[in-house]
Amino acid sequence: MTDQPATKPQTANAMWGGRFAAGPDAIMEAINASIGFDKRLYAQDIAGSRAHAAMLAAQGVISTSDAEAIREGLLTVLSEIETGDFPFSTALEDIHMNVESRLKEIIGEPAGRLHTARSRNDQVATDFRLWVRDQTDAAIEGIEALQRAFLAQAEQGADWVMPGFTHLQTAQPVTWGHHMMAYVEMLGRDAARFRDARNRMNECPLGAAALAGTSFPIDRHMTAAALGFDRPAANSLDAVADRDFALEFLSAASICAMHLSRFAEELVIWSSAQFRFVRLSDRFSTGSSIMPQKRNPDAAELLRAKIARILGATVALFTMMKGLPLTYSKDMQEDKEQVFDAADTLMLSLAAMTGMVKDMTANVAVLRTAAASGFSTATDLADWLVRTLGLPFREAHHVTGSLVALAEKKGCDLPDLTLQDMQSVHPGITDAVFTVLGVDNSVASRMSYGGTAPAQVRAQIARWREILG
């Protein structure tokens, strides 16, 4: 498919009608044309036109023979575009006029009946909705593939211990499986947001015409059903002015990209020489042009940055829409490039993250050593003091803090303190305390719903396996 420069401005005038005597100059043509990007809507545009023509024939607005000629001609146009033989023209401004102009060349006079009872306003609103709906379905599919990759990691390491962090400081031991399942939950909310947005966007604008509807006896329920919509949009003004569906898609995409960025940041940290928690595969790592020892997590770093593009598109569309009166304004031509780029970026990000999660290898021994460091079982000790000795939690917290200070002074961890050491801080402590200080004991004890205990992790894995099917 190649863009061809306009050589006959009057071609555009012919499509516009007789209102303008002179054609647009080159600058106006350049700023006005959208075919450079909205040609991506060709399949949706042709599907909408076929549904519209069939409805017009069913309602007796156009003849059956004209509708059949339009149908066959549109299939020819579709084939030409898909095989790269379609001559896109900037003089014809957009995908709608390019398709209609070529249709006229193929079938002649019946092509002029296709635009009966519709406008480019409801046409583009329909095309764009269809495209965003398709991308929403693709996003959900991509999210679920990534969830399955995290589930596989969680299943493999349901009982591997690792440090849990707050403030990027060691907090309490958790399991690898529990950490992986946190992202399954985040992504589950992402998929739910896309599904909710899809439900709201699934109203058909076609038949709203320019803004006020039409006097022709059209059947908007017929075209809505033919295009897979739940119903026609109920207000013609709102139908052509609405871009909420695009804003919701971008909003959901931004939150999803933020989640991907958070895990990408963890991968950058975890794969560093200082942490060595994971090893990324060669497929998602690069070397250095000067330092032969380097193994850079470039894919994760790039994913960490993708949120900027998607969030930028979201802000741009919000800003563009915020000051527009009803109904359609030419400003709204600027809606598509932002959404196109964000959708492409999200799908690439989901695919890349799925590959990284599938391929990454956890360093189980390093995880375990790190889990036991930094007095990670201090909370378990405090809980034991409450349960066994009946201390108020605040007092138990103080006793534990004193024991941590003692361990620091001795240069050891809590489990390495002797019973005598502990009793010097609180005489009621018995040797039973050592049963809660190991990292395995710690994670196994966290049996509350949603906790890090391996049994709880496996229960959540089973729940998500059933949800995802």
Side-chain angles (χ1 to χ4, degrees):
M1 297 184 289
T2 58
D3 293 345
Q4 295 186 351
T7 56
K8 296 180 180 180
Q10 63 269 25
T11 303
N13 294 335
M15 298 302 294
W16 277 97
R19 173 65 179 84
F20 298 95
D25 65 23
I27 294 175
M28 180 58 193
E29 184 176 288
I31 197 172
N32 193 48
S34 60
I35 189 60
F37 53 86
D38 71 13
K39 60 188 176 184
R40 291 185 66 162
L41 301 175
Y42 74 87
Q44 291 78 16
D45 191 73
I46 290 171
S49 290
R50 290 180 62 191
H52 185 66
M55 180 276 294
L56 292 177
Q59 294 298 105
V61 177
I62 65 173
S63 69
T64 302
S65 60
D66 281 350
E68 180 61 21
I70 290 170
R71 188 186 78 85
E72 293 298 321
L74 287 171
L75 289 176
T76 300
V77 173
L78 179 63
S79 176
E80 289 178 351
I81 295 175
E82 290 180 339
T83 57
D85 297 326
F86 189 91
F88 288 107
S89 168
T90 55
L92 294 171
E93 296 183 15
D94 55 33
I95 186 62
H96 322 300
M97 286 190 168
N98 269 265
V99 169
E100 188 175 334
S101 177
R102 179 60 182 140
L103 181 66
K104 185 177 181 180
E105 292 175 355
I106 296 170
I107 68 172
E109 189 261 351
R113 304 188 188 281
L114 174 59
H115 211 53
T116 306
R118 76 174 183 185
S119 161
R120 283 197 300 177
N121 293 358
D122 63 334
Q123 190 178 357
V124 67
T126 302
D127 293 357
F128 197 22
R129 256 179 212 258
L130 287 169
W131 191 91
V132 172
R133 191 180 69 184
D134 290 343
Q135 292 301 303
T136 300
D137 292 339
I140 293 168
E141 185 177 338
I143 288 168
E144 290 180 347
L146 179 53
Q147 284 182 292
R148 291 186 177 93
F150 274 115
L151 279 172
Q153 284 284 349
E155 217 158 27
Q156 185 180 20
D159 53 4
W160 298 345
V161 290
M162 66 174 289
F165 296 95
T166 61
H167 309 280
L168 203 55
Q169 306 293 315
T170 299
Q172 293 177 265
V174 297
T175 53
W176 174 264
H178 195 50
H179 199 108
M180 296 299 103
M181 291 303 295
Y183 284 95
V184 174
E185 292 291 336
M186 291 183 211
L187 292 164
R189 293 193 297 273
D190 291 326
R193 271 183 283 271
F194 279 113
R195 290 190 186 96
D196 289 345
R198 193 191 196 284
N199 289 336
R200 276 184 293 278
M201 76 175 64
N202 210 30
E203 295 183 343
C204 184
L206 195 58
L211 74 163
T214 178
S215 58
F216 289 96
I218 62 172
D219 184 349
R220 293 190 61 212
H221 288 85
M222 178 180 174
T223 48
L227 294 170
F229 288 106
D230 293 332
R231 55 198 164 270
N235 183 284
S236 62
L237 296 171
D238 181 51
V240 298
D242 173 41
R243 292 298 183 270
D244 288 4
F245 62 92
L247 289 166
E248 284 201 67
F249 174 84
L250 290 176
S251 298
S254 294
I255 297 173
C256 183
M258 177 269 293
H259 289 150
L260 300 184
S261 181
R262 293 186 74 177
F263 190 65
E265 169 70 359
E266 293 196 312
L267 288 179
V268 171
I269 294 170
W270 290 356
S271 62
S272 68
Q274 289 72 28
F275 272 73
R276 297 186 299 115
F277 283 7
V278 300
R279 181 179 176 85
L280 298 178
S281 73
D282 291 344
R283 295 199 308 152
F284 297 100
S285 303
T286 64
S288 166
S289 63
I290 190 172
M291 295 169 284
Q293 84 282 7
K294 292 294 292 298
R295 184 181 175 83
N296 298 325
D298 280 8
E301 291 172 4
L302 288 166
L303 272 177
R304 188 173 55 184
K306 294 301 184 185
I307 175 64
R309 289 178 67 162
I310 296 174
L311 183 58
T314 307
V315 173
L317 187 54
F318 268 106
T319 305
M320 185 270 286
M321 290 297 298
K322 72 174 182 63
L324 298 186
L326 296 181
T327 55
Y328 182 83
S329 295
K330 194 68 170 179
D331 312 49
M332 293 167 73
Q333 183 170 290
E334 293 294 312
D335 57 1
K336 297 168 198 64
E337 285 182 283
Q338 309 289 346
V339 178
F340 291 163
D341 183 72
D344 291 345
T345 300
L346 178 65
M347 293 309 300
L348 177 61
S349 299
L350 286 168
M353 183 61 84
T354 300
M356 280 194 289
V357 172
K358 282 183 176 180
D359 287 1
M360 71 179 179
T361 304
N363 191 333
V364 181
V366 171
L367 288 171
R368 184 175 191 82
T369 300
S373 67
F375 309 105
S376 65
T377 56
T379 306
D380 298 277
L381 173 55
D383 289 346
W384 182 87
L385 292 169
V386 171
R387 285 195 311 270
T388 306
L389 303 186
L391 299 184
F393 184 80
R394 287 302 171 199
E395 183 180 347
H397 186 282
H398 177 77
V399 170
T400 302
S402 299
L403 288 170
V404 167
L406 178 60
E408 282 183 324
K409 184 178 180 180
K410 285 177 163 286
C412 66
D413 207 345
L414 284 173
D416 302 318
L417 291 174
T418 66
L419 179 59
Q420 185 178 2
D421 289 332
M422 292 193 179
Q423 288 177 339
S424 70
V425 174
H426 194 288
I429 297 176
T430 68
D431 59 2
V433 72
F434 293 102
T435 64
V436 301
L437 293 180
V439 291
D440 291 303
N441 291 330
S442 175
V443 297
S445 71
R446 307 290 173 182
M447 278 294 293
S448 57
Y449 181 83
T452 194
Q456 281 294 321
V457 171
R458 291 189 174 96
Q460 294 301 328
I461 292 170
R463 179 176 72 89
W464 272 105
R465 289 286 186 201
E466 184 175 351
I467 291 171
L468 293 174

